[in-house]
Amino acid sequence: MLDSAGGAARRRLAGDEGVWFFITADLMMFAVFFAVFMTARLDEVALFEQSRQRLNPAIGLLNTAILLSSSWLVALAVHAARAGRREAVSRLLGLGILVGSGFAVSKACEYTAKISAGVTLLTNHFFMYYFALTGLHFVHFLAGMAVLGVCWRKSRHEAIDGRFLVWLESAGCYWHMVDLLWIFLFPMLYLLRAA
Amino acid sequence: MTERLKYLRLCAWSGPAFLAIFIVFWGILGHNIPPLPADLPAQAIADHYRLNANEVRLGMGMSMSFAVLYMIWGLAIAKVMQYGVEKDNDVLSTIELWGAGLTVVPLLVSSSFWLAGAYRPEGLDDSVLQLFYDLPWLLIDVAYMVTSVQMFALGVAFLKDERAVPLVPKWLCWYGIWVGFMFVAEVLMPFFTSGPFARHGVLNFWIEFFIWFFWIVALSGYVLIAIGRLEAEARGIVVDARAPRLAPAGSVANA
């Protein structure tokens, strides 16, 4: 992002710089998870393939669309905040939260269907990773929704100033990270076929 | 003015002291770094207690003796929070101190179970000794939230520091919040006896414990420096601690 000051332009990270440390650490942690998953997959390719086919890629795609749409709305809210348009910020954030909540509904339906069919994280190694990784991602999702909720409340009751913008940009960056993790999880769990 | 900062350095050093004692006695002598794999048969766990009883007795005795250092370290952090960044509201420092204090509970109680396993292992069944190894691991792992709230509270408080150079850097605040957040993976541990989520797994032991250890070391360093800075501020050496840092004389400010 470019930030003009005193006629000179300098580059700065969006949001609080410290939040990037959180995001980087989290991405590294998930990178380890992905590596562990892929290594485990090498030992049981047939089982992983057979188990993968029990997942519904259409739901995975729906989840991807929900998260990306929600992120887009939050990005629009950031632009609106930079322009000082309070009503638009509040509206877009509310929409982002509303659309994002669809992920919780979708995930709840997916988990319920799996558990009802007797598939749990103890079924086999594939489903251990499936439930553990998507569960950890879901905890990140819930934290993101909570932070967006705080931003939405602030947008209605507090000034749309530089301090608020840092809050909102930080929340937006985190929310994009939640997307990014899902963008890796979706193909890895739902689409990756045995060679 | 510096009277209220008295003893704080000693308290802050309790953190590294706790960690050193914990690693040596709980971890190495107690055979918990690394833990015995959760998928070992009961007989192997029982053999461990019977063969290493004295090491475990010493390790857990020392671990229980010095676990309280973690609370004392937490007190140093709470005081730096109160004097350094909190104004009229000490809720976060209170949560931090309670979190540190409550972290001592699973450390003490779980160590007492390992100690019980090593007390008279020759007279107990293998499955009982296995229980005395499993139970403390379940406790020390799944009681993670008492430590997480400590990390969240101090992270949020120090993020509010308005100094040009904060007492605790933002990256460390966020790192602590992240570690506290990632501890949630410990909830998975009771479901597994093998793999990355088991008590000896890549995630639930090697990553989770060592990111916590690193946090203790890094935070202790910054808290010790912060105490010195608060002393200087109290003596008036830094007139306006919240003023932006001035460029050194003669330097050319970058546009």
Side-chain angles (χ1 to χ4, degrees):
Chain A
M1 186 192 329
L2 288 176
D3 180 27
S4 185
R10 65 182 178 85
R11 220 168 251 284
R12 74 164 179 89
L13 285 168
D16 186 294
E17 289 182 7
V19 85
W20 285 95
F21 193 88
F22 182 103
I23 289 171
T24 306
D26 221 33
L27 290 175
M28 285 170 64
M29 179 73 110
F30 269 89
V32 172
F33 294 160
F34 297 157
V36 168
F37 174 86
M38 295 305 287
T39 307
R41 186 177 179 276
L42 287 176
D43 294 335
E44 296 177 292
V45 175
L47 173 78
F48 274 49
E49 173 62 15
Q50 189 187 19
S51 303
R52 179 194 70 81
Q53 288 175 2
R54 298 177 72 176
L55 297 180
N56 186 344
I59 294 180
L61 188 62
L62 174 67
N63 288 335
T64 310
I66 288 171
L67 287 179
L68 289 176
S69 305
S70 176
S71 251
W72 177 63
L73 288 163
V74 172
L76 289 179
V78 171
H79 283 288
R82 285 176 187 154
R85 295 187 290 129
R86 176 195 288 276
E87 281 187 20
V89 175
S90 186
R91 190 179 65 248
L92 288 163
L93 272 178
L95 275 172
I97 293 168
L98 185 68
V99 172
S101 62
F103 183 82
V105 175
S106 164
K107 216 71 207 130
C109 292
E110 200 179 3
Y111 282 151
T112 306
K114 283 282 163 289
I115 293 166
S116 302
V119 176
T120 69
L121 80 172
L122 299 178
T123 298
N124 61 35
H125 283 146
F126 175 84
F127 282 107
M128 173 188 84
Y129 286 109
Y130 166 76
F131 279 103
L133 296 181
T134 58
L136 284 173
H137 176 265
F138 192 69
V139 173
H140 283 71
F141 162 83
L142 291 177
M145 289 290 277
V147 174
L148 288 179
V150 170
C151 288
W152 178 73
R153 193 171 177 282
K154 280 177 176 286
S155 73
R156 290 167 60 86
H157 300 292
E158 295 179 19
I160 306 294
D161 54 11
R163 199 180 181 88
F164 172 79
L165 193 58
V166 169
W167 257 94
L168 186 58
E169 285 181 351
S170 302
C173 292
Y174 176 86
W175 199 232
H176 285 327
M177 183 199 74
V178 173
D179 285 0
L180 182 63
L181 292 175
W182 182 257
I183 286 169
F184 278 93
L185 282 170
F186 171 49
M188 194 178 82
L189 294 170
Y190 292 74
L191 303 178
L192 190 62
R193 293 170 189 274
Chain B
M1 286 293 283
T2 57
E3 179 65 21
R4 65 181 185 176
L5 298 169
K6 202 172 170 182
Y7 311 123
L8 279 196
R9 272 199 184 78
L10 190 62
C11 294
W13 274 107
S14 297
F18 158 79
L19 185 59
I21 291 167
F22 190 66
I23 288 174
V24 171
F25 291 98
W26 172 87
I28 297 169
L29 274 180
H31 293 261
N32 283 317
I33 298 180
L36 299 182
D39 51 1
L40 277 184
Q43 190 190 347
I45 302 283
D47 288 346
H48 150 72
Y49 274 127
R50 289 171 189 141
L51 284 171
N52 305 309
N54 281 330
E55 284 179 40
V56 176
R57 287 168 190 154
L58 176 62
M60 294 308 143
M62 293 295 280
S63 174
M64 290 176 72
S65 300
F66 292 98
V68 72
L69 290 177
Y70 194 88
M71 184 275 286
I72 296 172
W73 179 63
L75 178 68
I77 299 166
K79 290 296 174 188
V80 170
M81 289 165 70
Q82 283 173 16
Y83 302 147
V85 292
E86 288 183 333
K87 290 169 186 168
D88 301 322
N89 185 326
D90 64 354
V91 169
L92 292 174
S93 60
T94 306
I95 293 173
E96 189 281 329
L97 181 55
W98 274 86
L102 286 172
T103 297
V104 177
V105 176
L107 296 175
L108 274 180
V109 179
S110 59
S111 294
S112 75
F113 284 127
W114 282 303
L115 186 56
Y119 184 50
R120 47 177 134 214
E122 64 288 340
L124 294 175
D125 289 343
D126 291 356
S127 58
V128 174
L129 289 170
Q130 185 181 41
L131 177 66
F132 273 111
Y133 197 82
D134 289 344
L135 184 59
W137 268 108
L138 289 163
L139 175 63
I140 205 168
D141 275 2
V142 185
Y144 68 92
M145 192 52 92
V146 289
T147 314
S148 293
V149 295
Q150 179 201 12
M151 294 167 153
F152 296 152
L154 77 88
V156 171
F158 283 118
L159 281 174
K160 290 175 180 287
D161 191 348
E162 293 172 359
R163 289 172 180 79
V165 180
L167 295 176
V168 173
K170 286 188 175 183
W171 70 264
L172 188 54
C173 297
W174 282 109
Y175 175 77
I177 292 169
W178 172 72
V179 172
F181 193 54
M182 286 312 298
F183 278 172
V184 76
E186 295 293 350
V187 173
L188 294 169
M189 176 267 201
F191 293 95
F192 300 105
T193 55
S194 63
F197 303 107
R199 70 171 175 231
H200 62 289
V202 170
L203 172 68
N204 279 34
F205 179 72
W206 292 107
I207 293 179
E208 298 281 34
F209 271 80
F210 283 84
I211 57 178
W212 178 48
F213 292 168
F214 173 75
W215 175 78
I216 293 172
V217 173
L219 185 61
S220 297
Y222 280 105
V223 167
L224 281 162
I225 294 167
I227 293 166
R229 291 179 62 185
L230 290 176
E231 284 172 344
E233 287 177 13
R235 290 192 196 102
I237 292 173
V238 180
V239 177
D240 181 6
R242 286 180 165 74
R245 189 170 43 169
L246 297 174
S251 68
V252 179
N254 293 321

